[in-house]
């Protein structure tokens, strides 16, 4: 009746992340800071900015998770943990009416500083009868020709005769 989805790994847009931070709160924003990196999170748990190295200006990185066909209900619950992690807990309800009436789930997004990265974990606990939806992770970043992006995902199955070889 429930499942967990963990997405381990994180965004490194030409950045090697060295994180030994603790979280700090300011208004409705939450920060994880290290010597070479600062990440800003909204009160709902969306990544809304990143500052790296000696940069004076924060870049507009937008990153968040959503559950297709579901809407967030209620307020976000935020927990700051002793290990420096921050958790954002949201309830989602299905928008599909008669196809899945009353289906809901709790999405916990946990941002944990490690020795060399930030671990972004998703835990989704379904409520009621078994059901499924697509889990979407969205990144919006002001990319340049020098931007590089790495994830922990493997290559999807594909036919090399129909796909660009640089995949």
């Amino acid at each position: 009746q429930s499942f967990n989805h963990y997405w381990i790994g994180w965004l490194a847009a030409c950045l090697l992340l060295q994180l030994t931070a603790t979280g700090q709160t300011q208004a409705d924003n939450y920060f994880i800071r290290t010597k070479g990196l600062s990440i800003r999170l909204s009160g709902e748990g969306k990544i809304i900015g990143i500052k790296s190295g000696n940069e004076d200006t924060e870049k507009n990185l937008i990153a968040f998770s959503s559950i297709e066909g579901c809407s967030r209900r209620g307020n976000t619950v935020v927990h700051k943990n002793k290990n420096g992690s921050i958790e954002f807990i949201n309830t989602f309800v299905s928008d599909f009416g008669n196809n899945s009436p009353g289906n809901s789930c709790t999405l916990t997004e946990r941002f944990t500083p490690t020795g060399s990265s930030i671990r972004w974990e998703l835990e989704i606990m379904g409520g009621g009868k078994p059901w499924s939806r697509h889990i979407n992770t969205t990144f919006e970043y002001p990319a340049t020709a020098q931007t590089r992006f790495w994830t922990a995902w493997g290559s999807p199955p594909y036919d090399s005769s129909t796909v660009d070889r640089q995949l």
Side-chain angles (χ1 to χ4, degrees):
Q1 289 188 356
S2 65
F3 73 98
N4 294 329
H5 172 79
Y6 292 100
W7 181 63
I8 301 173
W10 204 75
L11 165 71
C14 258
L15 303 173
L16 296 176
L17 307 178
Q18 288 292 325
L19 302 177
T20 55
T22 59
Q24 295 182 349
T25 304
Q26 182 179 25
D28 288 328
N29 290 309
Y30 297 84
F31 294 87
I32 297 178
R33 292 186 174 109
T34 68
K35 182 178 180 181
L37 182 70
S38 176
I39 297 171
R40 185 164 50 107
L41 302 156
S42 74
E44 293 178 348
K46 292 181 180 181
I47 299 170
I48 55 175
I50 188 169
K51 188 174 167 182
S52 65
N54 295 325
E55 295 176 355
D56 291 330
T57 306
E58 179 181 272
K59 291 186 180 178
N60 292 323
L61 167 65
I62 306 296
F64 59 93
S65 297
S66 62
I67 301 172
E68 191 171 301
C70 294
S71 299
R72 189 171 65 84
R73 296 286 192 263
N75 295 323
T76 302
V77 176
V78 180
H79 294 288
K80 292 177 66 179
N81 301 308
K82 290 180 182 181
N83 68 354
S85 67
I86 303 174
E87 294 180 344
F88 298 88
I89 303 168
N90 286 291
T91 299
F92 285 84
V93 177
S94 176
D95 295 333
F96 285 114
N98 293 333
N99 291 337
S100 53
N103 285 342
S104 66
C105 64
T106 301
L107 169 62
T108 301
E109 294 188 83
R110 187 175 302 110
F111 299 87
T112 305
T114 70
S116 62
S117 66
I118 289 180
R119 178 175 289 185
W120 179 7
E121 297 175 272
L122 307 181
E123 180 178 341
I124 302 171
M125 302 296 292
K129 295 179 181 180
W131 59 290
S132 67
R133 294 288 180 265
H134 292 248
I135 301 165
N136 300 314
T137 302
T138 302
F139 290 94
E140 297 174 17
Y141 183 79
T144 67
Q146 290 76 35
T147 301
R148 299 294 179 265
F149 179 79
W150 174 88
T151 71
W153 296 308
S155 295
Y158 66 94
D159 179 357
S160 62
S161 66
T162 61
V163 177
D164 187 328
R165 297 198 52 82
Q166 292 183 357
L167 177 66

